[in-house]
């Protein structure tokens, strides 16, 4: 409308310049809107959560559930381990959903890492190599951390499914201990001792903004 009103008494060259300027304004506004609709995921600085380190019994491993209250990416685990052995193996498995009902079914688990280590001291949790795994908001992911020897400290007598540690981002639950280096045996009501490093993942979306008068006039 402004273009028609202002172009009545203009020379051909001035009209051409005005039309070109209007076209560029429409292009810029359209491009700006397209950029604002772009979505991208961003991750927070790395955080950590540590379960109560009250275990006195050495076990081969633990299965336990983690529930994400926000979308997170677990970056690694640390473990409470005691061993003077020069060499032993440690592995980490995971599966979507709870471990319950799958304690002895290895085919339902995904291996994340396997390492060889030796001589660990349980004065504080010892970090394992990175194990990146994403957990969507309000979803449960289960983990099985095990060793070829009885090296992990675990807390017995904690009812299976009890929240042993939580914050605004996630919850860690009590689970089971494993009777040997396998998926063959397990004992209920054992809490894993260790730490989880993670990042909160968020999705950046276009925020609503007021359309300027110039944009209104062009459209």
């Amino acid at each position: 409308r402004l273009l028609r009103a202002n172009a009545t008494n203009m020379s051909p060259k001035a009209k051409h310049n005005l039309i070109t300027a209007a076209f560029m304004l429409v292009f810029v506004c359209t491009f700006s809107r397209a950029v604002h609709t772009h979505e991208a995921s961003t991750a927070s600085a790395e955080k950590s959560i540590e379960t109560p380190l009250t275990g006195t019994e050495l076990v081969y491993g633990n299965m336990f559930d983690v529930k994400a209250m926000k979308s997170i990416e677990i970056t690694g685990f640390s473990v409470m381990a005691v061993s003077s052995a020069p060499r032993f193996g440690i592995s980490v498995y995971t599966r979507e959903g709870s471990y319950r009902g799958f304690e002895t079914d290895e085919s339902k688990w995904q291996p994340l890492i396997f390492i060889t280590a030796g001589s660990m001291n349980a004065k504080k949790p010892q970090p394992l190599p990175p194990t990146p795994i994403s957990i969507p908001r309000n979803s449960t992911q289960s983990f099985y951390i095990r060793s070829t020897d009885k090296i992990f400290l675990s807390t017995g007598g904690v009812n299976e499914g009890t929240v042993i540690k939580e914050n605004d981002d996630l919850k860690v639950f009590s689970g089971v201990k494993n009777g040997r280096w396998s998926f063959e045996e397990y004992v209920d009501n054992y809490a894993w001792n260790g730490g989880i490093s993670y990042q909160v993942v968020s999705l950046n979306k276009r925020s609503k903004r007021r359309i300027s008068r110039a944009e209104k006039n062009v459209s």
Side-chain angles (χ1 to χ4, degrees):
R1 289 190 298 268
L2 285 179
L3 181 60
R4 288 195 298 268
N6 294 331
T8 304
N9 298 318
M10 288 184 177
S11 65
K13 184 176 181 180
K15 289 180 181 180
H16 173 76
N17 292 339
L18 181 60
I19 292 171
T20 301
F23 173 81
M24 292 301 296
L25 181 60
V26 171
F27 174 80
V28 170
C29 292
T30 303
F31 178 77
S32 177
R33 285 172 176 159
V35 169
H36 276 281
T37 58
H38 175 71
E39 297 181 351
S41 60
T42 58
S44 69
E46 188 167 84
K47 299 183 177 183
S48 63
I49 188 170
E50 195 173 271
T51 70
L53 307 177
T54 57
T56 57
E57 181 177 345
L58 291 177
V59 302
Y60 282 100
N62 289 100
M63 291 181 180
F64 58 94
D65 290 341
V66 174
K67 182 174 182 180
M69 311 312 293
K70 301 176 183 177
S71 294
I72 64 173
E73 180 173 292
I74 289 179
T75 55
F77 293 91
S78 55
V79 294
M80 291 292 287
V82 178
S83 178
S84 59
R87 188 179 181 86
F88 49 83
I90 296 175
S91 58
V92 179
Y93 289 78
T94 189
R95 70 177 311 276
E96 292 183 6
S98 177
Y99 66 87
R100 294 191 185 191
F102 304 96
E103 294 92 338
T104 60
D105 190 350
E106 185 173 358
S107 67
K108 301 300 182 182
W109 291 81
Q110 173 190 349
L112 292 179
I113 61 167
F114 175 82
I115 64 168
T116 55
S119 187
M120 299 183 77
N121 190 324
K123 291 183 179 179
K124 63 179 181 179
Q126 302 296 310
L128 298 178
T131 51
I133 185 77
S134 297
I135 310 178
R137 181 174 177 266
N138 292 329
S139 298
T140 297
Q141 190 84 15
S142 50
F143 297 92
Y144 177 19
I145 301 177
R146 70 179 189 179
S147 174
T148 52
D149 295 332
K150 283 187 175 181
I151 66 169
F152 295 127
L153 285 170
S154 186
T155 306
V158 184
N159 289 337
E160 193 175 0
T162 300
V163 177
I164 57 175
K165 192 70 174 183
E166 66 179 312
N167 58 23
D168 292 339
D169 306 324
L170 58 89
K171 295 180 179 181
V172 185
F173 297 85
S174 177
V176 302
K177 77 168 184 177
N178 296 84
R180 61 175 64 183
W181 167 258
S182 68
F183 285 82
E184 296 175 7
E185 299 178 4
Y186 67 94
V187 180
D188 296 338
N189 305 329
Y190 273 80
W192 174 68
N193 285 209
I196 301 174
S197 300
Y198 68 95
Q199 293 177 308
V200 176
V201 179
S202 60
L203 192 66
N204 294 332
K205 296 184 178 181
R206 176 174 64 95
S207 58
K208 292 183 179 180
R209 62 189 181 90
R210 296 177 63 183
I211 300 176
S212 67
R213 290 182 180 178
E215 289 183 60
K216 286 182 180 179
N217 288 334
V218 169
S219 58

